[in-house]
């Protein structure tokens, strides 16, 4: 007889997410991804000056505000025909890159890795390392008090198989703390050109207002060296260690097998990581006209499906068959996975030699293959690979900056127009669409990475990517949902973004 496993809320993610699963004979046969809130940022923007959009949309998320800033200014630039200054494009890449690096490190160490670590092993530690002694104290207090302490978010945890008596547990916990300091360096990098973080002040239509100061450039470069060293010497090795300890997760959580990227990090008339789709193993260039959003299972009353440029926000509580505040984005009617794995797969199939070399090297080191790259382990591997490649690319953008040259183009308002801003946030494809009438925003729509990945069923009843990734998962008889949580967190959900 079947049973239900419900995780509500899913912890160590951004936002409020509930996952329901139906399990029969030890296998997940149905899954429902439920965004549990409504925010209404798009409705807030109607009637405002277009210049308000980059400021307001950044508040959708405190983890990836830079992505919303860049998508929003590209959106406005598209609508008014503004070409950003070359220095401004490079500075945007650097601010966004810094935000990517901290986000990827955050995801692995502070959100997902604890699903694979037996934190109680620290209680047996008898060495003199001050970091591990501090962790031992924290975990010991948690065990004694049987509650979560603000300083030590390790316990309680879902029961399940964890490695015991393994050096991995101690090193991963030590790197958990080290990663906090590395993320701080990445935040400082973003703030050097962005003014502050989160919610940067300098990214505007036309470029970046901070200009190119050689001293600031070198400050940024010095911090990048520190972050890059951690990625290549610590983060990568920890992902490889996890792959060796949990090889079964190379075959768990595959998902839809369709991948979408809008392209990101502008370089001339192209992007460093390219735009396109891979469906059934075949690469095709991106056609943004094929994007739609459906609402059959969403708490909205608008017509469905609609292209985002025509999207509407009409909340409808109590709607029959609706179970999520997320809409259901589709590309040509198909559910698509987005994120670092999708970017690596799309760029690999599009012939990006840097990505192809990196993927082939990672597969050799990890023991993964192209066939099992779409998996829980594959998503973690793709994320660290992207971080490593990006940190190296950022050196080239620093070297291309030209002190004394303008970093922002003059803004000239246009009374009416429509545009789109397509780019990639750390978690995947991010699109903003705007319609301007009488110098005001008449319509504004966002389709966010976790809206793609955590979407509910669409008008045809097709489950979203995470729902499909869960279906078919084998669970131990006494499972409390640890396997489900590991799959869900591999997508790095940001539900506050998804419901915006």
């Amino acid at each position: 007889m079947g049973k239900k496993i419900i995780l509500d809320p899913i912890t160590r993610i951004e936002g409020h997410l509930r996952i329901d699963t139906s399990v029969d004979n030890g296998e997940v046969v149905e899954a429902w991804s439920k965004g549990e809130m409504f925010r209404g940022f798009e409705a807030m923007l109607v009637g405002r000056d277009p210049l308000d959009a980059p400021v307001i949309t950044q508040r959708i998320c405190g983890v990836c505000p830079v992505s919303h800033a860049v998508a929003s200014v590209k959106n406005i630039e598209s609508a008014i025909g503004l070409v950003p200054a070359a220095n401004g494009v490079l500075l945007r890449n650097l601010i966004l890159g810094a935000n990517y690096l901290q986000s990827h490190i955050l995801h692995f160490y502070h959100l997902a890795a604890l699903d694979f670590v037996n934190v109680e092993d620290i209680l047996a530690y008898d060495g003199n390392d001050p970091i591990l002694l501090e962790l031992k104290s924290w975990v010991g207090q948690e065990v004694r008090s049987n509650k979560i302490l603000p300083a030590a978010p390790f316990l309680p945890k879902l029961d399940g198989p964890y490695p015991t008596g393994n050096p991995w547990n101690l090193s991963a916990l030590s790197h958990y703390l080290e990663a906090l300091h590395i993320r701080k360096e990445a935040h400082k990098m973003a703030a050097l050109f962005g003014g502050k973080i989160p919610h940067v002040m300098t990214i505007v239509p036309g470029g970046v207002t901070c200009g190119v100061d050689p001293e600031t450039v070198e400050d940024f470069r010095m911090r990048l060296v520190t972050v890059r060293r951690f990625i290549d010497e610590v983060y990568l090795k920890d992902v490889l260690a996890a792959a060796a300890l949990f090889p079964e997760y190379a075959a768990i959580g595959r998902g839809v097998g369709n991948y979408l990227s809008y392209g990101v990090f502008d370089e001339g008339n192209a992007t460093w990581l390219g735009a396109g789709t891979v469906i059934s193993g075949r690469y095709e260039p991106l056609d943004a006209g094929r994007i739609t959003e459906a609402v059959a299972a969403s708490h909205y009353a608008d017509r469905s499906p609609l292209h985002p440029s025509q999207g509407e926000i009409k909340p409808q509580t109590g709607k029959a068959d609706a179970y999520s505040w997320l809409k259901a984005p589709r590309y040509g009617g198909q559910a698509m996975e987005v994120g670092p794995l999708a970017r690596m797969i799309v760029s690999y199939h599009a012939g990006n030699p840097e990505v192809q070399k990196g993927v082939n090297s990672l597969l050799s080191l990890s023991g993964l293959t192209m066939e099992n790259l779409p998996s829980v382990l594959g998503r973690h591997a793709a994320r660290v690979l992207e971080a490593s490649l990006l940190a190296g690319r950022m050196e080239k953008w620093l070297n291309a900056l030209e002190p004394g040259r303008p970093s922002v183009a003059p803004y000239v308002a246009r009374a009416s127009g429509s545009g789109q801003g397509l780019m990639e946030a750390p978690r995947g494809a991010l699109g903003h669409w705007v319609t301007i009438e009488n110098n005001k925003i008449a319509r504004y729509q966002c389709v966010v990475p976790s809206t793609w990945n955590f979407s509910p069923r669409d008008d045809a009843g097709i489950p979203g990517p995470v729902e499909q990734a869960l279906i078919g998962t084998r669970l131990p008889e006494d499972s409390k949902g640890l396997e489900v949580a590991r799959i869900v967190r591999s997508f790095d959900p940001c539900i506050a973004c998804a419901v915006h």
Side-chain angles (χ1 to χ4, degrees):
M1 183 175 179
K3 66 175 183 177
K4 299 283 187 181
I5 293 180
I6 297 174
L7 297 182
D8 181 23
I10 293 279
T11 57
R12 281 186 274 114
I13 68 166
E14 212 290 330
H16 303 275
L17 174 66
R18 168 175 167 160
I19 297 290
D20 291 10
T21 60
S22 179
V23 181
D24 193 18
N25 292 322
E27 180 177 306
V28 176
V29 293
E30 293 284 355
W32 296 267
S33 169
K34 300 183 176 182
E36 296 279 83
M37 62 187 294
F38 171 73
R39 302 178 75 199
F41 270 85
E42 293 155 322
M44 296 178 203
L45 287 162
V46 174
R48 290 184 173 270
D49 189 296
L51 288 175
D52 290 345
V55 177
I56 293 174
T57 57
Q58 285 193 72
R59 272 67 187 175
I60 290 173
C61 185
V63 180
C64 52
V66 179
S67 304
H68 285 288
V70 174
S72 187
V73 298
K74 289 169 76 72
N75 192 20
I76 303 303
E77 289 166 355
S78 172
I80 67 175
L82 179 61
V83 178
N87 267 343
V89 172
L90 292 167
L91 289 168
R92 284 181 193 171
N93 285 351
L94 291 163
I95 300 169
L96 180 63
N99 191 232
Y100 259 68
L101 298 183
Q102 79 80 25
S103 181
H104 286 355
I105 293 168
L106 160 68
H107 172 254
F108 183 73
Y109 286 101
H110 304 134
L111 303 180
L114 293 179
D115 285 336
F116 300 93
V117 173
N118 183 21
V119 297
E120 291 89 340
D121 261 15
I122 195 71
L123 297 176
Y125 177 71
D126 60 359
N128 296 315
D129 186 293
I131 292 178
L132 294 180
L133 288 172
E134 183 179 9
L135 283 168
K136 181 177 181 179
S137 174
W138 287 1
V139 174
Q141 291 179 62
E142 286 188 285
V143 169
R144 290 190 296 274
S145 65
N146 195 32
K147 65 180 181 180
I148 299 176
L149 299 178
F154 302 125
L155 298 172
K157 66 182 184 182
L158 289 169
D159 294 334
Y162 296 89
T164 58
N166 193 296
W168 151 259
N169 293 313
L170 298 185
S171 64
L173 288 170
S174 175
H175 297 157
Y176 177 104
L177 288 186
E178 186 179 357
L180 291 171
H181 298 286
I182 298 300
R183 283 179 54 213
K184 182 170 67 174
E185 289 301 303
H187 276 312
K188 289 179 178 178
M189 288 161 56
L192 283 170
F193 294 140
K196 67 182 184 71
I197 193 76
H199 311 140
V200 299
M201 302 182 295
T202 61
I203 295 178
V204 298
V208 175
T209 61
C210 69
V212 179
D213 171 62
E215 185 175 344
T216 305
V217 170
E218 293 311 308
D219 190 351
F220 188 106
R221 192 190 309 273
M222 178 182 66
R223 298 178 193 279
L224 176 60
V225 169
T226 299
V227 175
R228 187 178 182 185
R229 182 182 299 119
F230 177 84
I231 292 168
D232 290 341
E233 298 180 6
V234 180
Y235 181 10
L236 175 59
K237 291 180 180 178
D238 282 344
V239 170
L240 294 174
L245 284 168
F246 297 89
E248 66 274 20
Y249 278 87
I252 293 176
R254 175 176 174 80
V256 296
N258 300 328
Y259 305 96
L260 168 71
S261 171
Y262 288 159
V264 66
F265 300 112
D266 292 339
E267 294 184 341
N269 295 322
T271 54
W272 171 52
L273 296 178
T277 64
V278 173
I279 300 174
S280 300
R282 179 182 176 185
Y283 168 80
E284 291 185 1
L286 178 70
D287 178 1
R290 301 182 69 190
I291 300 166
T292 58
E293 286 189 295
V295 296
S298 308
H299 299 296
Y300 299 102
D302 56 353
R303 296 166 290 131
S304 176
L306 294 173
H307 187 270
S309 63
Q310 301 299 314
E312 300 171 348
I313 298 295
K314 295 180 180 178
Q316 181 181 345
T317 58
K319 176 180 172 181
D321 299 322
Y323 61 89
S324 179
W325 283 103
L326 280 69
K327 293 184 179 181
R330 296 294 185 261
Y331 183 87
Q334 300 202 58
M336 307 292 290
E337 179 174 339
V338 302
L341 175 63
R343 285 192 290 270
M344 293 298 99
I345 288 176
V346 169
S347 288
Y348 188 97
H349 282 77
N352 182 315
E354 189 176 2
V355 171
Q356 289 178 334
K357 180 180 178 181
V359 168
N360 292 336
S361 175
L362 183 65
L363 295 178
S364 176
L365 289 170
S366 65
L368 297 170
T369 66
M370 285 298 294
E371 287 70 30
N372 57 31
L373 196 56
S375 64
V376 170
L377 287 180
R379 291 186 189 95
H380 290 298
R383 194 169 275 107
V384 69
L385 171 61
E386 180 176 74
S388 179
L389 295 175
L390 174 58
R393 197 71 175 189
M394 289 168 71
E395 284 279 359
K396 296 184 178 181
W397 298 329
L398 282 171
N399 294 336
L401 289 168
E402 297 184 78
R405 301 284 295 173
S407 60
V408 62
Y411 180 82
V412 179
R414 182 178 290 181
S416 63
S418 59
Q420 64 180 16
L422 304 183
M423 54 87 66
E424 290 279 314
R427 291 167 176 83
L430 173 62
H432 286 210
W433 285 261
V434 68
T435 300
I436 301 171
E437 296 176 0
N438 298 320
N439 294 303
K440 301 294 183 182
I441 295 173
R443 186 193 302 272
Y444 204 101
Q445 292 289 298
C446 306
V447 181
V448 182
S450 289
T451 317
W452 284 97
N453 286 335
F454 288 85
S455 66
R457 285 154 175 77
D458 58 25
D459 294 1
I462 299 172
V466 168
E467 293 176 335
Q468 293 193 44
L470 291 169
I471 294 171
T473 303
R474 300 292 304 177
L475 303 180
E477 184 176 347
D478 59 348
S479 175
K480 299 296 190 295
L482 176 61
E483 298 77 14
V484 171
R486 284 169 171 168
I487 293 170
V488 168
R489 290 199 188 97
S490 75
F491 285 86
D492 195 8
C494 181
I495 304 306
C497 268
V499 298
H500 49 270

